[in-house]
Amino acid sequence: MTNNSTEPGEGFKLSRQASTFERLCADFTTKLLAFTVCVHRQDESCSLPCALILLITSEEWSFVMIGHTPCRVPACQTDAAACSGPKMTKLDSCLQQSRSLSTEFILYYLVLAAAACKFTARGFGLSKEVDRIVNSGGHGHFNLRPGWLLGANQDLSDIQWRVFREGVPAVSVTMLVFILLKKMGQKAKPESGTYIYMAFGVCLAGYLHQASFIFPLVLSLLNFGLTSASLHSGMPVVIWTSNWILLLTARLSRGGSFGSINHNLAFLDAYQGPLQWQISYNLIVLRHISFAMDKYWARSQTTDLDAQAPQQNTCKAQQKQSLPMVDYNLWAYLAYIYYPPLYIAGPICTFNAFAWQCKRSSAVQCRQVCNYAVRLACSMLLLEAMSHSLYFNSITRYSLWQKYGAQLQLTAVDMGIISFWVLMFMWLKVSLSSW
């Protein structure tokens, strides 16, 4: 006789045939209702219903809604390999049909739409109150500056976004020059891509750090020498320890100074550049370690690396595939460390993947570039529109609810709306680096 009961603590899990969209929609809507109940009642009597709602939407008690009847599905009946008992044929036939247009999910859509309208309308209202306080005079500008969109002020309280948008023209010109030089070099000599990356990356880092660029450059050369001289079994420990010690030293010393080395070099401390080198050194350390470990693993292999070309041109396959030892040279190393598009903010890739892409770069279709450009432009325009109409970065940065609480009259719902829009701005800002 088959036992269909679940183990203690395992409970009932949502059927795998339910789509991810349906589960997220149901979960978010139910929790949104729970939050609304708690905020508006603001008493202890709502703790029980809210606890029940959160329990129902937790991982152990997810309900599969068939029409209006909740059907609890044991975990063993959703996994054929975990249970050999009889299946719920009627339930399975119901689950195979999408419920995205059912009455239940139409109600979810209405709740989500109402919440979005509520958050947006109240967000505009709070921003107008802040703008009125600033225009009344005597309160400071709170980084609300005259904007270019419909004559509205622009919230530039976020330092990262302010610096980025101010540097967009220079960055655009720099990237255009980089692409032109790369195309010209590869047309004259196809294998010259690595040297172009190295030269342009070193020049860009030199401009960003100016005189202090000597510090990360010397540390990078030191790591390369240590990697080349320490290919014994204890090399990983040496590489990891030395790099983390140097990272902590750079952070604690705030990048160091030429005056502390020799007083005759103190005049160089006036030429620090627009970006302090210790800020981007954490990414450099990760690249140091990646190069050293990839070279160590390549040296440890005894098979012919030239015959191990990956069958699949994927990043995962490239990361696992070692290169011939001749490819772990100084020029490829410096190109990897100071590769211009990834130098400041990443993301990080392994040296093996970087080198394979340099050697086997595939042509990018014009359609892909156009789609990329359109998405990037739309994201930047949306950020500009948000900074012209929603001033929540200024509210949080300067704690305006404390200074002007009587005028703003913020409620618990308003604090939740402020947090929501700040998170939306942060997500969209960070997503620019992933386009």
Side-chain angles (χ1 to χ4, degrees), residues 64-71 94 99 102-105:
V64 180
M65 303 301 293
I66 306 298
H68 299 284
T69 305
C71 301
C94 292
R99 300 185 305 279
S102 63
T103 304
E104 174 193 352
F105 276 86

Side-chain angles (χ1 to χ4, degrees), residues 182-196:
K182 176 186 173 183
K183 294 296 183 182
M184 293 171 59
Q186 288 183 338
K187 185 177 181 180
K189 192 175 182 181
E191 62 274 12
S192 63
T194 300
Y195 301 99
I196 295 175

Side-chain angles (χ1 to χ4, degrees), residues 17-65:
Q17 295 180 353
S19 67
T20 303
F21 170 76
E22 293 171 349
R23 284 183 289 181
L24 291 177
C25 187
D27 183 73
F28 177 78
T29 307
T30 312
K31 290 180 180 179
L32 180 63
L33 291 173
F35 169 76
T36 306
V37 170
C38 279
V39 167
H40 285 282
R41 295 192 60 172
Q42 295 182 348
D43 57 23
E44 298 180 355
S45 62
C46 73
S47 59
L48 179 59
C50 289
L52 291 176
I53 291 176
L54 295 179
L55 176 63
I56 291 173
T57 57
S58 65
E59 183 179 0
E60 286 78 15
W61 284 89
S62 294
F63 280 5
V64 180
M65 303 301 293

Side-chain angles (χ1 to χ4, degrees), residues 70 95 110 113 134 145 169 218 257 282 300 364 387 403 429 431-432:
L95 288 175
L110 294 176
V134 172
R145 306 177 184 181
V218 169
S257 62
N282 54 348
S300 301
V364 180
S387 62
K403 298 179 181 179
K429 176 187 68 176
S431 68
L432 285 178

